Amino acid sequence: MVSWIISRLVVLIFGTLYPAYSSYKAVKSKDVKEYVKWMMYWIIFALFTTAETMTDIFLCWLPFYYELKIAFVVWLLSPYTKGSSVLYRKFVHPTLSSKEKEIDDYLCQAKDKSYDALVHFGRKGLNVAATAAVTAAAKVSHLLKIITYWEFTDGKGQGALSERLRSFSMQDLSSIQREGPVSGPMPSRSSSTNPRARTTTRSNSESASSKACVHCAHCSAVSASS
């Protein structure tokens, strides 16, 4: 863990920040020699960073792996060893010179293919977005129609619902009457809701009770005289 932290600090400070500042000084002073020197270093350092990504995964278990990385960065930067210049002149420059045309053709093909793929996916994305927008607009329009319909038919809908519930209740009462006898007469709906019918029924019951009482008294008097 300590070796990993030290190697990260060395690569960050001495392998990145210091060469970046030296490159700035070379560009500012317009010194061609220094400019070429640091350009060669950045090419080698780019290759080193690419290789480091893979070696950190598969070779980090080797003994002194991080110490070797620190030594390699110091060797690249040292003005005595000039490691970056040696690697560039002996290996990188000859290889790139022999493969330069093939690399340029591959980059041009990759650029054209990436542009075509970008245009294709862009059109596909626009079609999907347009379809989604049309579908959403249709759903919103349908929802607005439903809301408008309920706003205009709110009173009628409530009246129809109450009449429906009332018919269901009357059907339940008629089914109860058919299922079994009920002790006492069931009050009709018209008599409970009409005050005149209620008064007439009450007067008829009172007259019937008075006649029954007179008849009973007459019967008792007849039976006594006999």
Side-chain angles (χ1 to χ4, degrees):
M1 185 67 181
V2 176
S3 300
W4 178 81
I5 295 174
I6 294 174
S7 67
R8 285 289 92 190
L9 289 175
V10 170
V11 171
L12 179 63
I13 295 172
F14 296 100
T16 305
L17 296 178
Y18 173 72
Y21 183 74
S22 299
S23 300
Y24 158 74
K25 297 286 287 184
V27 172
K28 184 178 179 181
S29 62
K30 299 180 180 180
D31 188 352
V32 178
K33 185 178 180 180
E34 289 293 318
Y35 186 79
V36 171
K37 170 188 172 181
W38 289 113
M39 284 299 298
M40 289 188 294
Y41 170 81
W42 284 118
I43 294 172
I44 299 299
F45 186 77
L47 297 175
F48 165 74
T49 304
T50 304
E52 182 188 24
T53 305
M54 301 300 297
T55 57
D56 284 348
I57 299 174
F58 299 103
L59 301 178
C60 61
W61 53 272
L62 290 174
F64 305 107
Y65 169 74
Y66 295 106
E67 287 79 0
L68 290 174
K69 285 175 62 175
I70 295 172
F72 181 75
V73 172
V74 173
W75 179 73
L76 290 177
L77 285 171
S78 176
Y80 302 101
T81 58
K82 298 180 180 180
S84 59
S85 298
V86 171
L87 290 177
Y88 179 80
R89 294 179 188 277
K90 287 188 176 182
F91 299 102
V92 177
H93 184 76
T95 304
L96 292 178
S97 297
S98 61
K99 303 291 183 181
E100 184 176 1
K101 187 176 184 306
E102 297 177 2
I103 295 173
D104 290 340
D105 294 338
Y106 179 78
L107 291 176
C108 291
Q109 293 177 4
K111 187 184 296 184
D112 295 336
K113 290 181 180 179
S114 62
Y115 177 77
D116 294 337
L118 181 62
V119 171
H120 174 71
F121 285 111
R123 290 177 180 176
K124 190 174 181 180
L126 290 176
N127 291 332
V128 171
T131 305
V134 171
T135 305
K139 290 182 179 179
V140 171
S141 177
H142 183 65
L143 181 60
L144 290 175
K145 288 180 180 179
I146 294 174
I147 294 173
T148 306
Y149 173 77
W150 280 105
E151 285 180 353
F152 280 105
T153 61
D154 190 14
K156 296 180 181 179
Q158 291 180 358
L161 180 60
S162 61
E163 291 294 333
R164 188 75 171 173
L165 293 175
R166 185 178 300 169
S167 63
F168 286 160
S169 62
M170 295 303 295
Q171 290 177 4
D172 293 338
L173 290 175
S174 61
S175 63
I176 292 173
Q177 290 178 358
R178 287 196 301 268
E179 287 178 357
V182 181
S183 59
M186 291 293 294
S188 63
R189 183 171 175 268
S190 59
S191 63
S192 59
T193 56
N194 194 350
R196 292 184 179 179
R198 188 184 303 170
T199 306
T200 305
T201 306
R202 185 176 178 182
S203 60
N204 292 334
S205 60
E206 289 178 355
S207 61
S209 60
S210 61
K211 290 179 181 179
C213 293
V214 172
H215 180 70
C216 292
H218 179 72
C219 292
S220 60
V222 171
S223 59
S225 62
S226 61

